C-alpha cells in the first residue's frame, strides 16, 4: 500500500476507478470525518474539557443523555447542515428528523447517525464511537421521515469512527471496507488498511452474559455450546469479550473475527432488541458483510428488514460467517419444533 494516502485522496481515486463516490457523497463523507475529528478531540479532553457526566435530559429512547451524546450530536449537525450535500439527518438523540434549514441548499442524501455509541463507557475512559449510515433521498416532494424508511441494502455509504487508543475511521461505499487512522500531527485520516476481511471461523464471542437468564432458547444453546469448549459438541475452546460499545466490539471483529450478539430478551419482550436498526445495526451489518461476514436478526438478513419506524430496534447477530450461519440454523430448528 502506498504511504500516506489521505481520506480525501482515497475518495478521489476510488471515484476515478469505479465511479462509486460522486462529489456530493465525497463531501458528505469528508464532512462526517471532520466532525468525528472534532468529537475525538472532545473525547480526548475528558474531564479537562468538562465533557464527562450526565446532562439533565432524556432522549427519545427514554435514556438519560450524557453531555458527550449532546455535544457529538450538535457537532454532526452543525458540520453537515450547510454544505448542500444533505436533505435531512436523523439521530439516535433526536426524536424527529432534522431537515436542512431553508437558508442552505438541499442535497440528495440523507444521513443517519448514532453520534456517541457506547455512552455507558464515556466516563470510564473506555472506547466509544460514532456510527453513520447514508441513504439517497427518494425523488419527489419535500423530505419527510418516510424517506428514511429504506432497508439497509439501500445504503450508499456506512461507517463508524472509534475513539480508542487510536481514532480510527472505518468506511464502506459498497466496494469493501477501508480503515483510516487519525494522524493528529497532520490532522488528517490516513489509510491504514484496505480490503478488510472477517475470518469465516472464530473462537471468540461477544454477548452481555448477565442477561443469560432472559435469553431465548437458540441463543442459550449457542452460548452453552461455546462454554462447554473442547469438551462439548464444538470440540474447541471459546474466548469471550464484551466491551459494551458496539463500535469497539465490531472493530475487534473486523480486525480478528468473532461473533457479536445482542439478541431479543425477556426483559422487554415487546421490543425486538436493544440496538437500533437504522443507525446501529444497518451500517454495522453492511461493513461486516462487505468484509465477508454475515449479519442477521436470527430469522432474516438485517439489511433486508423493511423499517417501519425511524427508531426501530432489532435483535443482532453479526460477525464470522460460519458462526452466524450456525446460530441462524439454531433459530430455524427451534421454530420448526412443535
Ligand atoms: P448507546 O448507543 O446508547 O450507547 O447504546 C448502545 C450500546 C452498544 O454500543 C452496546 O453494544 C450495548 O449498548 C451495550 O449494552 P449493555 O450495557 O446492555 O451491555
Ligand atoms: Mg449506540
Amino acid at each position: 500500500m502506498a504511504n500516506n494516502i489521505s481520506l480525501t485522496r482515497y475518495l478521489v481515486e476510488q471515484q476515478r476507478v469505479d465511479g462509486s463516490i460522486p462529489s456530493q457523497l465525497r463531501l458528505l463523507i469528508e464532512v462526517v470525518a471532520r466532525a468525528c475529528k472534532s468529537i475525538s478531540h472532545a473525547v480526548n479532553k475528558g474531564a479537562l474539557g468538562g465533557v464527562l457526566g450526565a446532562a439533565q435530559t432524556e432522549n427519545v429512547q427514554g435514556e438519560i443523555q450524557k453531555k458527550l451524546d449532546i455535544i457529538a450530536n450538535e457537532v454532526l449537525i452543525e458540520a453537515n447542515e450547510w454544505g448542500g450535500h444533505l436533505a435531512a439527518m436523523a439521530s439516535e438523540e433526536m426524536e424527529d428528523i432534522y431537515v436542512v434549514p431553508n437558508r442552505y441548499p438541499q442535497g440528495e442524501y440523507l444521513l443517519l447517525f448514532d453520534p456517541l455509541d457506547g455512552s455507558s463507557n464515556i466516563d470510564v475512559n473506555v472506547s466509544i464511537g460514532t456510527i453513520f449510515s447514508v441513504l439517497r433521498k427518494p425523488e419527489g416532494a419535500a423530505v419527510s421521515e418516510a424517506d428514511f424508511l429504506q432497508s439497509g441494502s439501500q445504503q450508499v455509504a456506512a461507517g463508524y469512527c472509534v475513539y480508542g487508543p487510536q481514532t480510527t475511521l472505518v468506511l464502506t461505499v459498497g466496494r469493501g471496507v477501508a480503515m483510516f487512522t487519525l494522524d493528529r500531527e497532520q490532522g488528517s485520516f490516513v489509510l491504514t488498511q484496505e480490503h478488510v476481511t472477517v475470518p469465516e471461523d472464530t473462537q471468540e464471542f461477544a454477548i452481555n452474559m448477565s442477561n443469560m437468564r432472559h435469553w431465548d432458547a437458540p441463543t442459550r444453546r449457542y452460548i452453552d455450546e461455546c462454554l462447554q469448549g473442547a469438551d462439548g459438541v464444538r470440540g474447541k475452546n471459546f474466548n469471550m469479550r464484551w466491551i459494551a460499545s458496539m463500535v469497539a466490539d465490531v472493530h475487534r471483529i473486523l480486525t480478528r473475527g468473532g461473533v457479536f450478539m445482542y439478541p431479543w430478551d425477556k426483559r422487554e419482550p415487546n421490543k425486538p432488541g436493544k440496538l437500533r436498526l437504522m443507525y446501529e445495526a444497518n451500517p454495522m451489518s453492511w461493513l461486516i458483510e462487505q468484509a465477508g461476514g454475515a449479519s442477521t436478526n436470527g430469522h432474516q438478513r438485517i439489511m433486508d428488514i423493511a423499517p417501519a419506524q425511524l427508531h426501530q430496534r432489532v435483535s443482532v447477530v453479526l460477525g464470522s460467517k460460519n458462526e452466524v450461519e450456525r446460530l441462524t440454523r439454531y433459530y430455524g430448528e427451534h421454530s420448526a419444533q412443535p
Side-chain angles (χ1 to χ4, degrees):
M1 185 176 24
N3 282 331
N4 245 2
I5 296 182
S6 65
L7 176 66
T8 303
R9 180 170 164 190
Y10 173 86
L11 297 173
V12 167
E13 289 182 350
Q14 198 68 33
Q15 167 67 5
R16 258 181 225 147
V17 172
D18 59 20
S20 59
I21 312 180
S23 56
Q24 258 195 30
L25 183 58
R26 188 180 92 215
L27 177 62
L28 193 168
I29 293 167
E30 291 200 78
V31 172
V32 168
R34 207 176 307 141
C36 288
K37 249 189 273 179
S38 167
I39 297 168
S40 171
H41 197 62
V43 168
N44 277 206
K45 282 197 165 173
L48 298 176
V51 299
L52 303 185
Q56 298 308 316
T57 47
E58 269 188 9
N59 66 11
V60 55
Q61 344 273 338
E63 300 158 342
I64 297 284
Q65 289 177 302
K66 294 285 173 68
K67 286 183 194 163
L68 260 180
D69 288 324
I70 296 171
I71 293 168
N73 196 59
E74 279 169 4
V75 167
L76 280 156
I77 288 187
E78 278 167 22
N80 279 288
E81 65 179 355
W82 51 269
H85 51 284
L86 282 182
M89 295 176 246
S91 161
E92 175 177 327
E93 302 301 337
M94 300 187 297
E95 182 157 6
D96 300 316
I97 64 166
Y98 180 91
V99 178
V100 166
N102 282 337
R103 60 184 182 278
Y104 302 121
Q106 277 212 356
E108 56 187 279
Y109 293 103
L110 305 172
L111 174 66
L112 300 98
F113 45 81
D114 177 355
L116 216 290
D117 177 62
S119 306
S120 71
N121 280 325
I122 295 171
D123 294 346
V124 292
N125 200 0
V126 170
S127 296
I128 49 183
T130 298
I131 310 173
F132 64 95
S133 163
V134 183
L135 297 166
R136 203 169 268 119
K137 179 192 167 298
E139 307 247 315
V143 64
S144 70
E145 186 170 316
D147 293 336
F148 283 81
L149 303 181
Q150 305 180 39
S151 69
S153 56
Q154 302 298 308
Q155 293 173 104
V156 294
Y160 64 80
C161 187
V162 58
Y163 314 116
Q166 303 110 45
T167 289
T168 308
L169 182 81
V170 179
L171 175 72
T172 186
V173 291
R175 308 279 189 284
V177 177
M179 293 187 178
F180 304 84
T181 305
L182 179 60
D183 180 330
R184 288 188 188 276
E185 278 126 56
Q186 286 189 50
S188 63
F189 281 102
V190 177
L191 181 66
T192 40
Q193 203 186 336
E194 261 189 296
H195 315 300
V196 173
T197 46
V198 175
E200 291 193 346
D201 291 297
T202 183
Q203 289 179 235
E204 196 161 70
F205 65 87
I207 192 166
N208 185 337
M209 293 286 289
S210 69
N211 297 325
M212 184 183 251
R213 68 190 185 286
H214 307 297
W215 292 341
D216 55 22
T219 306
R220 237 197 140 103
R221 174 181 171 192
Y222 176 80
I223 297 295
D224 279 348
E225 290 178 1
C226 291
L227 295 178
Q228 285 157 19
D231 305 328
V233 289
R234 300 301 308 270
K236 59 182 185 180
N237 293 324
F238 279 79
N239 185 26
M240 193 203 88
R241 288 285 185 275
W242 183 249
I243 302 174
S245 291
M246 190 190 199
V247 268
D249 279 312
V250 168
H251 193 67
R252 184 188 61 257
I253 290 170
L254 284 171
T255 306
R256 69 177 188 207
V259 60
F260 170 94
M261 307 166 66
Y262 212 122
W264 168 92
D265 71 44
K266 289 183 205 131
R267 286 173 301 168
E268 294 188 284
N270 298 327
K271 290 186 183 159
K274 172 178 178 178
L275 299 176
R276 275 60 51 126
L277 174 66
M278 303 293 292
Y279 35 80
E280 292 177 322
N282 272 341
M284 292 313 206
S285 297
W286 199 26
L287 288 164
I288 290 285
E289 284 195 10
Q290 282 291 310
S295 176
T296 174
N297 66 358
H299 306 282
Q300 187 183 10
R301 181 178 173 242
I302 283 183
M303 290 208 297
D304 286 339
I305 296 174
Q309 288 171 355
L310 193 58
H311 298 290
Q312 180 167 337
R313 293 174 189 253
V314 67
S315 175
V316 177
V317 177
L318 58 76
S320 292
K321 204 173 185 167
N322 291 338
E323 295 302 309
V324 176
E325 281 173 4
R326 174 181 285 269
L327 226 121
T328 308
R329 176 158 61 78
Y330 289 2
Y331 272 99
E333 287 171 11
H334 184 71
S335 46
Q337 279 171 19

